[in-house]
Amino acid sequence: MKLRKWAMGLLAAGLLTAGLSAGSPREAYAESKQIEVSFSPVHFIFGGEELDPPEGQRAFLYKDSTYVPLRFASYALGKAVDWDPDTYTVTVREPKAEEKVSIDAYIEERKAGDRPILPVDASALQPITIDAYFEKVNYVFGKRTVQPPAELPGIIIDGSLYVPLRFVSESAGNKLEWDGETYAITGVSTAEGAKPYDEIVLEAEQAFQELVSGFTSEFYVLKSEYDGADDAGREEVLLQGARKLLEGQETFRSEILETLKAKLKAGNYYEGAVDQLAAQFEDKKQGVINLVTLFTGKDLTPYLEKAEKELEGK
């Protein structure tokens, strides 16, 4: 259904309340529906201090994920957050000096003080039904555009944007620890003086793109050789292409992926970017194989197997 003007006004006001600088929101479509959530006594521990979300903006569990107000999540991680109402884009980034002062003041106000963290009786948590809007929001962390899992989107409730805490934390490079007995979530501090997470990931992604671009160009050269060769020559060109693809794979794994893994580990960062980049490489590799089939009508897989045996024999 088309989002009514009163709802859009409420959204803009709520996003302002959440610490996002919103102007006049664009016309948009949002799906309004009732969802079941559980308001549970979740404890948020960052920098050794327990923090509470703002009054009236309680955290809740939805599909077994902890949702919190966006600004609370960002500030708890020491990040600044911007809102672009024209594109519905949230940007989470490193704060400027003056912004850090405001973030520190916000954190000071949110400190819960010294109180016991006790086991939670999960059986006593009763789900309740609330009204929520599901609006398409773009999320940028540093210079990287990411999205939460499709089944765990951002949710607008009473005009405020709530997001899965784990999505925000891991997208910013921070690890979380969950205590299922006490419902305590602890943010793991990064190594002091560590290189910014965003820079580490971007460097790896750039090296990956350069590698892919390089061996893709080589495959186009091989295509020309393949077109001009006889049957025997074509067999050799296909085998040569398989060797180059395996060489690229080895370079990716031993240099790019291992370097990324080592830098993330040294910074005590969340290491999910390693698996994500590995999956991207496998997609590109399959794309090259499909391209060879398209150009030649031949499956490259048997040639890859033969090239692998050659490498094993060395």
Side-chain angles (χ1 to χ4, degrees):
M1 60 179 286
K2 190 171 183 178
L3 192 61
R4 297 179 180 86
K5 289 185 178 180
W6 63 266
M8 293 301 295
L10 182 63
L11 169 60
L15 291 172
L16 280 166
T17 301
L20 305 179
S21 180
S24 300
R26 63 170 170 78
E27 287 297 322
Y29 290 83
E31 177 188 355
S32 175
K33 63 189 242 182
Q34 291 188 321
I35 61 173
E36 280 195 349
V37 303
S38 297
F39 289 99
S40 58
V42 181
H43 302 276
F44 302 99
I45 304 169
F46 289 86
E49 297 280 355
E50 182 175 359
L51 308 177
D52 285 334
E55 186 175 352
Q57 295 185 348
R58 296 171 60 192
F60 58 84
L61 297 180
Y62 174 65
K63 294 186 177 180
D64 294 326
S65 289
T66 303
Y67 274 70
V68 295
L70 176 63
R71 183 174 72 152
F72 174 75
S74 300
Y75 280 17
L77 295 167
K79 307 295 184 183
V81 57
D82 301 320
W83 166 249
D84 184 339
D86 294 325
T87 61
Y88 265 38
T89 298
V90 166
T91 300
V92 178
R93 56 175 174 78
E94 293 298 321
K96 301 174 183 176
E98 61 272 19
E99 292 171 324
K100 191 175 185 308
V101 173
S102 298
I103 292 172
D104 289 344
Y106 176 93
I107 293 300
E108 192 65 32
E109 292 177 359
R110 301 268 60 83
K111 288 182 179 179
D114 188 14
R115 66 187 183 196
I117 297 178
L118 305 174
V120 173
D121 180 7
S123 65
L125 300 178
Q126 297 298 321
I128 66 171
T129 301
I130 62 174
D131 291 320
Y133 279 100
F134 290 81
E135 178 61 78
K136 171 65 176 177
V137 176
N138 304 303
Y139 300 89
V140 177
F141 286 79
K143 296 180 180 179
R144 296 170 298 108
T145 300
V146 296
Q147 285 294 330
E151 68 276 12
L152 296 172
I155 300 175
I156 299 164
I157 299 173
D158 293 333
S160 293
L161 178 60
Y162 289 74
V163 289
L165 176 58
R166 185 168 294 278
F167 161 68
V168 177
S169 178
E170 293 180 352
S171 296
N174 296 78
K175 295 184 285 188
L176 293 178
E177 293 178 349
W178 164 257
D179 186 330
E181 183 178 358
T182 62
Y183 281 35
I185 297 175
T186 302
V188 179
S189 298
T190 56
E192 187 174 351
K195 189 171 186 175
Y197 173 80
D198 196 54
E199 290 184 19
I200 293 173
V201 175
L202 284 174
E203 284 177 357
E205 290 178 346
Q206 182 177 357
F208 165 66
Q209 293 299 336
E210 290 174 354
L211 176 68
V212 170
S213 177
F215 71 64
T216 299
S217 297
E218 289 179 341
F219 266 78
Y220 277 101
V221 172
L222 289 174
K223 177 186 179 299
S224 297
E225 294 180 8
Y226 180 90
D227 292 340
D230 58 18
D231 288 345
R234 288 183 171 186
E235 288 294 302
E236 179 56 35
V237 170
L238 287 168
L239 185 56
Q240 186 178 351
R243 293 188 189 110
K244 287 186 177 296
L245 187 54
L246 289 180
E247 289 171 2
Q249 177 176 273
E250 176 58 27
T251 299
F252 171 74
R253 291 176 177 174
S254 63
E255 298 181 14
I256 299 173
L257 211 58
E258 287 302 317
T259 298
L260 173 61
K261 188 184 299 184
K263 288 182 178 180
L264 292 176
K265 186 174 182 179
N268 203 26
Y269 290 120
Y270 171 65
E271 296 180 27
V274 174
D275 291 337
Q276 293 168 8
L277 197 60
Q280 288 183 48
F281 179 85
E282 289 304 316
D283 286 344
K284 293 292 186 181
K285 177 182 174 182
Q286 187 59 51
V288 170
I289 293 173
N290 294 342
L291 199 63
V292 170
T293 301
L294 177 66
F295 286 154
T296 68
K298 296 286 188 74
D299 181 5
L300 191 62
T301 304
Y303 300 92
L304 286 169
E305 293 172 351
K306 184 175 181 179
E308 283 179 335
K309 289 179 180 179
E310 289 179 355
L311 291 174
E312 291 171 0
K314 288 185 178 179

